[in-house]
């Protein structure tokens, strides 16, 4: 190795110099010895600094979602991002359009604890392989090795607890209708990385437990790439594969509670798609409920300057920043409803959204917003026989 070779050469040089020094007078020998030893020390220090600098030159990495404790049998797919880029992005000095996570290769030091798999899934009617999925095997601790083109970093992953039962989800386009008087929807119920610090998890766990206690069917919307859940409950009544909560399932119900997912993005898309199907099938009175503590939102006050991987906050936090209910309605709910109606589907996904536009179907409908029992606003005046009530809880 380079350092060993370097040290051998220096030992030879040192021996030659010390032999020459022996024939010198005592004063000169002492001075020469100090000079030689000082030079050698500086050379060794320079070599050490070179090695440290070479190691420091490797960019630091971060992985998302920040789930580092897994149950046996769980699977997870990490995103890899340069730490400096993440810091700049969160400070607002790196525009969202210029921030990108990067390709990486994964391996583990102990594959008996955590190993890499390549599961297959059905996408656009064809089998495809999902790269970079890791599976927890048995209790223990190991290092996850992440390699990029110019860096390598290790992360400690712990596997602990009892194995969790797998949940089989079916593609949303294989189901035409679900029917009940009421449903609870849990969007992005998996380890999908968007709510990577799981701020909405306590609220979601609470509303799921409450729904099950009251006999309300629970629906999980999940991604194929993130097949396991951060929810405490692993026994939904339905589980649908939907990357962005898009679907064309006719939800034949009087009341739907929406939780999980981004308030202005994926949850909003589910509201759009659910509402579109209900309207096309002749619904006349619709009630949508939004438990604010079980919905996450980008912490930008409804802007999109710092989206993932910026940590999310629950919707309750956005409401708490407003001085009164009127301000909450105008600054949080109205932008949400405007986007629901005028941006169908939100951010243009899915491309083959059902026709006609949602704004056409909602012409002539009355839309009312309610906070608990003390605040109500008329968002849109229309026929009283065709009404939509949106209730926000935990405001």
């Amino acid at each position: 190795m380079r350092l060993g070779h370097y040290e051998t050469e220096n030992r030879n040089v040192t021996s030659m110099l010390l032999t020459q020094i022996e024939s010198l007078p005592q004063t000169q020998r002492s001075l020469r010895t100090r000079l030689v030893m000082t030079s050698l020390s500086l050379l060794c220090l320079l070599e050490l600094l070179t090695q440290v600098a070479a190691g420091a030159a490797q960019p630091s990495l971060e992985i998302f979602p920040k789930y580092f404790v897994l149950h046996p049998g769980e699977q997870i797919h990490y995103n890899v991002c340069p730490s400096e880029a993440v810091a700049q992005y969160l400070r607002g000095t790196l525009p969202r359009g210029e921030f990108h996570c990067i390709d990486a290769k994964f391996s583990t030091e102990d594959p008996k604890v955590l190993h890499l798999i390549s599961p297959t899934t059905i996408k656009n009617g064809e089998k495809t392989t999902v790269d970079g999925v890791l599976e927890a095997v048995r209790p223990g601790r190991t290092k996850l090795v992440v390699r990029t083109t110019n860096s390598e970093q290790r992360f400690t992953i712990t596997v602990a607890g009892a194995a969790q039962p797998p949940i089989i989800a079916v593609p949303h386009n294989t189901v035409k209708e679900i029917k009940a008087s009421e449903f609870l929807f849990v969007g992005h119920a998996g380890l999908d990385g968007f709510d990577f610090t799981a701020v909405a998890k306590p609220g979601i766990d609470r509303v799921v437990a409450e729904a099950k206690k009251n006999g309300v069917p629970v629906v999980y919307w999940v991604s194929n790439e993130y097949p396991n859940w951060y929810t405490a409950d692993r026994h939904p009544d339905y589980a649908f594969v939907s990357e962005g909560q898009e679907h064309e399932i006719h939800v034949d119900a009087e009341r739907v509670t929406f939780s999980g997912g981004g308030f202005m993005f994926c949850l909003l898309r589910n509201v759009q798609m659910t509402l579109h199907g209900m309207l096309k099938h002749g619904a006349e009175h619709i009630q949508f409920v939004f438990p604010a503590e079980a919905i996450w939102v980008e912490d930008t006050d409804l802007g999109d300057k710092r989206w993932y991987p910026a940590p999310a906050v629950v919707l309750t936090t956005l409401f708490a920043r407003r001085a009164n209910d009127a301000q909450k309605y105008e600054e949080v709910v109205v932008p949400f409803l405007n986007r629901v109606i005028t941006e169908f589907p939100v951010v243009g996904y899915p491309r083959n959204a059902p026709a006609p536009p949602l704004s056409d179907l909602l012409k002539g409908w009355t839309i009312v917003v309610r906070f608990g029992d003390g605040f109500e606003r008329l968002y849109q005046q229309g026929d009283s026989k065709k009404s939509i009530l949106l209730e926000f809880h935990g405001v």
Side-chain angles (χ1 to χ4, degrees):
M1 294 179 63
R2 182 183 177 189
L3 180 58
H5 180 60
Y6 169 83
E7 290 175 341
T8 301
E9 289 180 344
N10 275 288
R11 280 197 296 269
N12 294 335
V13 171
T14 303
S15 299
M16 293 172 59
L17 289 173
L18 291 176
T19 299
Q20 295 172 5
I21 289 170
E22 291 299 324
S23 62
L24 295 175
Q26 181 67 32
T27 303
Q28 289 181 300
R29 186 164 61 244
S30 176
L31 177 60
R32 182 68 61 85
T33 300
R34 288 199 300 272
L35 289 173
V36 169
M37 299 309 295
T38 300
S39 299
L40 291 176
S41 297
L42 290 174
L43 285 170
C44 291
L45 179 60
L46 180 60
E47 177 70 16
L48 178 61
L49 290 174
T50 301
Q51 291 185 34
V52 171
Q58 291 191 21
S60 178
L61 303 172
E62 291 190 43
I63 57 174
F64 301 95
K66 292 187 178 297
Y67 297 105
F68 304 127
V69 179
L70 304 174
H71 291 277
E74 272 193 330
Q75 298 173 6
I76 190 167
H77 187 182
Y78 289 111
N79 291 318
V80 180
C81 308
S83 298
E84 181 57 29
V86 172
Q88 291 175 357
Y89 175 67
L90 296 182
R91 289 196 300 266
T93 56
L94 180 67
R96 177 178 170 183
E98 296 180 18
F99 176 82
H100 303 285
C101 287
I102 54 180
D103 292 332
K105 298 292 184 182
F106 299 93
S107 63
T108 64
E109 292 183 350
D110 188 349
K112 293 181 180 179
V113 173
L114 180 73
H115 69 173
L116 190 67
I117 63 174
S118 297
T120 58
T121 185
I122 303 296
K123 193 169 186 178
N124 298 324
E126 297 183 359
K127 278 190 176 181
T128 60
T129 299
V130 182
D131 295 324
V133 178
L134 294 145
E135 183 177 51
V137 181
R138 68 184 188 188
R141 182 175 293 178
T142 186
K143 296 287 187 181
L144 172 65
V145 184
V146 180
R147 294 183 178 91
T148 65
T149 55
N150 58 355
S151 187
E152 177 180 309
Q153 197 161 326
R154 285 166 166 76
F155 299 87
T156 300
I157 307 295
T158 300
V159 179
Q164 298 294 317
I167 302 174
I168 305 302
V170 300
H172 67 87
N173 55 12
T174 63
V175 178
K176 299 299 181 184
E177 179 181 270
I178 55 176
K179 184 175 182 177
S181 60
E182 183 178 354
F183 285 104
L184 168 64
F185 285 0
V186 181
H188 287 309
L191 303 176
D192 56 11
F194 295 107
D195 180 17
F196 68 84
T197 56
V199 294
K201 179 183 181 332
I204 290 172
D205 288 343
R206 185 191 64 77
V207 297
V208 169
E210 186 177 292
K212 292 206 161 191
K213 180 181 178 181
N214 296 327
V216 175
V218 177
V219 181
Y220 284 178
W221 305 86
V222 300
S223 164
N224 256 328
E225 292 190 32
Y226 305 93
N228 283 102
W229 331 100
Y230 76 1
T231 53
D233 178 85
R234 309 245 171 168
H235 300 279
D237 296 277
Y238 302 91
F240 297 124
V241 177
S242 176
E243 300 298 325
Q245 296 193 50
E246 74 286 357
H247 70 89
E248 292 186 42
I249 299 172
H250 173 216
V251 181
D252 188 353
E254 299 172 4
R255 172 184 169 109
V256 179
T257 298
F258 294 87
S259 67
F263 182 58
M264 291 296 282
F265 290 96
C266 292
L267 179 142
L268 187 149
R269 182 181 292 110
N270 201 332
V271 170
Q272 289 179 321
M273 305 299 282
T274 301
L275 181 57
H276 194 280
M278 287 179 157
L279 296 176
K280 287 189 70 173
H281 283 82
E284 293 184 345
H285 298 284
I286 298 170
Q287 184 179 8
F288 285 170
V289 180
F290 302 90
E293 73 279 15
I295 299 169
W296 61 263
V297 63
E298 319 71 60
D299 191 10
T300 57
D301 273 351
L302 302 182
D304 59 359
K305 295 179 181 178
R306 289 192 300 113
W307 196 42
Y308 178 84
V313 297
V314 289
L315 183 57
T316 305
T317 301
L318 255 60
F319 282 125
R321 293 172 181 169
R322 273 67 192 180
N324 51 55
D325 286 343
Q327 193 176 14
K328 295 170 186 177
Y329 170 75
E330 291 292 340
E331 296 182 8
V332 178
V333 177
V334 169
F336 172 79
L337 279 173
N338 289 346
R339 195 168 199 179
V340 166
I341 297 170
T342 63
E343 296 184 33
F344 177 76
V346 64
V347 299
Y349 180 80
R351 294 181 179 178
N352 58 339
L358 192 53
S359 55
D360 290 353
L361 291 176
L362 282 170
K363 288 179 180 177
W365 279 71
T366 294
I367 302 176
V368 175
V369 175
R370 181 180 295 162
F371 297 161
D373 298 323
F375 180 88
E376 188 171 291
R377 283 290 186 275
L378 181 66
Y379 173 83
Q380 177 175 299
Q381 179 68 62
D383 188 344
S384 61
K385 295 180 180 180
K386 297 190 296 183
S387 65
I388 300 172
L389 172 63
L390 295 98
E391 292 188 14
F392 286 82
H393 295 174
V395 174

